[in-house]
Amino acid sequence: MTTTALGGSAVRVTPLALGCAGIGNLYRAVTDEAALATVDAAWDAGVRTFDTAPHYGLGLSERRLGEALRGRPRDACTVSTKVGRLLVPDTTADPGDDLADGFAVPATHRRVWDFTADGVRRSLEESLDRLGLDRVDSVLLHDPDRHAEQALREAYPALERLRAEGVVGAVGVGMNECALPARFLRETDIDVVLLAGRYTLLDQDGLAEVLPQAAARGRSVIIGGVFNSGLLTAPRPGATYDYAPAPRPVLDRALRLREVTERHGVPLRAAALHFPFGHRAVASVLTGARSPGEVRDTVEQLRRPVPAALWDDLRAEGLLDPGAPVPVDTPSNEPS
């Protein structure tokens, strides 16, 4: 199986990674059986990289992922979780649901932002308990947008110590904006940036600083949100872009993208999956799924060949940044 190291670490990732927010009941509930089958389908397809977080379903994603991986060889896969939000039990008699934060689960806990050193260690310990694992391979600071200074001064050094102690193999930051990840790349020794939604066919903001910084420093980028909340899977009125209904100009651009890709016999979602691999800093593309069918479709699209002429046409029509490198080979996720 093809794998790539994260930065200068020994942690390796497959080209396709499974994002586990979906099995944490993102937006709508899935059964335990469907969640387990989703992870099984990813494993059977050669995916060996799994990303989760306490935030996803108030711990449900971590519990389900741990259950799905139980009995599988631990050294055969890479597991990543995140820190920055502690889960505190909510003692309200009728806590309601967590849909305000995007998850169809009972609101049994409250999320409390904590980027202190103690918070980092406590969060990781609680994640390991939910996962039922003795270790994770990488840990990311999760959305420290409003806590930048504390994340840099307290949380990052704590992760650096955990890496030095051998508790984790790689550390980084996971965000859906570019300025702070670029600062982490400049000011710290992180191994990886998980950049969501900012290096896609619709939004190439990551090309300005994050990707060049990572490449120059020998660090890695994992690209999430390649479908921009679903718009690049099926662009139509009402489709979501960055978790909200797509503005008309953005929808029109997505429709133009689809016209070009389908002219070459390539589904838009296939081109969206392939695009990030053109940049040498990109180690993996992270996609979510909530069913085996979604996993199999993603793998199928990644296996589709994309002709060079498609990228040429996107550039000619002003739909692709002229400086954006494009892929020349199809990544392989086949088990060896």
Side-chain angles (χ1 to χ4, degrees):
M1 169 195 342
T2 301
T3 61
T4 301
L6 292 180
S9 78
V11 175
R12 304 190 69 86
V13 295
T14 45
L16 186 63
L18 180 66
C20 295
I23 67 170
N25 289 5
L26 179 65
Y27 302 132
R28 65 181 187 272
V30 299
T31 65
D32 289 340
E33 292 76 16
L36 292 173
T38 299
V39 178
D40 286 346
W43 189 281
D44 292 344
V47 175
R48 295 292 184 272
T49 304
F50 303 91
D51 177 80
T52 185
H55 172 55
Y56 303 155
L58 294 172
L60 179 62
S61 172
E62 290 181 318
R63 289 192 294 272
R64 282 175 164 173
L65 177 61
E67 178 63 26
L69 295 178
R70 199 151 296 131
R72 298 188 185 278
R74 180 63 189 86
D75 289 342
C77 63
T78 295
V79 177
S80 173
T81 193
K82 305 182 183 76
V83 296
R85 292 173 174 92
L86 291 173
L87 302 182
V88 178
D90 191 328
T91 57
T92 306
D94 182 11
D97 62 47
D98 191 50
L99 284 171
D101 281 297
F103 294 91
V105 296
T108 55
H109 290 70
R110 294 179 294 109
R111 298 171 181 84
V112 176
W113 291 103
D114 193 330
F115 287 96
T116 65
D118 287 345
V120 164
R121 286 186 177 268
R122 177 180 162 191
S123 181
L124 179 55
E125 289 169 1
E126 292 176 355
S127 287
L128 291 174
D129 184 59
R130 286 187 291 266
L131 285 160
L133 299 176
D134 61 355
R135 63 181 171 85
V136 292
D137 301 283
S138 62
V139 178
L140 307 178
L141 301 174
H142 199 185
D143 296 334
D145 312 52
R146 296 184 178 90
H147 310 271
E149 297 308 318
Q150 186 178 44
L152 283 159
R153 291 194 317 269
E154 300 181 42
Y156 168 72
L159 287 184
E160 193 175 52
R161 285 192 292 273
L162 289 169
R163 183 178 58 187
E165 294 165 3
V167 176
V168 299
V171 302
V173 60
M175 301 184 67
N176 57 13
E177 59 102 342
C178 295
L180 189 54
R183 186 177 171 191
F184 268 93
L185 285 165
R186 290 193 304 269
E187 299 180 16
T188 75
D189 192 30
I190 58 172
D191 302 290
V192 60
V193 169
L194 170 52
L195 187 64
R198 303 284 78 87
Y199 193 60
T200 74
L201 286 179
L202 276 172
D203 185 334
Q204 286 125 56
D205 284 355
L207 195 59
E209 193 171 8
V210 173
L211 289 160
Q213 284 268 359
R217 299 202 56 192
R219 305 308 182 214
S220 297
V221 180
I222 295 173
I223 300 297
V226 290
F227 302 129
N228 285 119
S229 300
L231 183 57
L232 289 179
T233 59
R236 62 185 183 278
T240 53
Y241 172 77
D242 280 1
Y243 313 107
R248 188 72 220 190
V250 177
L251 173 59
D252 289 344
R253 189 177 182 86
L255 290 169
R256 289 177 61 204
L257 285 164
R258 185 174 67 182
E259 288 176 8
V260 174
T261 65
E262 291 187 348
R263 191 188 308 157
H264 291 271
V266 176
L268 177 57
R269 63 191 187 281
L273 278 165
H274 280 257
F275 168 67
F277 288 105
H279 201 287
R280 63 191 179 98
V282 174
S284 182
V285 165
L286 175 77
T287 62
R290 64 182 77 243
S291 71
E294 290 181 0
V295 171
R296 287 191 285 268
D297 180 72
T298 300
V299 172
E300 179 185 346
Q301 301 312 317
L302 194 57
R303 288 173 179 161
R304 283 179 178 267
V306 177
L310 182 153
W311 309 116
D312 293 339
D313 284 357
L314 289 178
R315 282 205 180 99
E317 298 199 18
L319 294 170
L320 193 62
D321 188 306
V326 295
V328 293
D329 295 311
T330 301
S332 174
N333 232 43
E334 300 287 346
S336 57

